[in-house]
Amino acid sequence: MADVIYLSPDEDMPDCGDEMRWLRIEASDDGRFFGSGGSSKANGDWVGYRSLAEDDISIEAALAAAQQWAAKYGVPIIWVQLAP
């Protein structure tokens, strides 16, 4: 299970570089939470993450979807920004 790190409103996640696995969830002005990320498949191919509309409705739904994807692609940390 990926660790979840909450960022302060003026803080951004560290630069993970091109080879690192990453995932973040960002709050929007309309109360939704959008996830994005990147990792690689077992064969080395890059794979991206973009949250689905049904997962953007709450932080709980966004985190649940992100945790599933992180587990599948070996992402160790989910960075979360709770304020837009």
Side-chain angles (χ1 to χ4, degrees), residues 2 18 23-24 31-32 35-37 42 46 48 51-52 61 66 69 75 79 84:
D18 292 337
L23 203 156
R24 75 175 171 193
R32 293 183 293 165
S36 61
W46 183 87
S51 61
L52 301 173
W69 193 85
V75 176
W79 302 91

Side-chain angles (χ1 to χ4, degrees), residues 23 25 49 51-52 54-56 59-71 78:
L23 203 156
I25 297 171
Y49 176 78
S51 61
L52 301 173
E54 59 264 23
D55 298 325
D56 297 340
I59 188 61
E60 295 83 10
L63 272 172
Q67 284 284 8
Q68 287 181 350
W69 193 85
I78 300 171

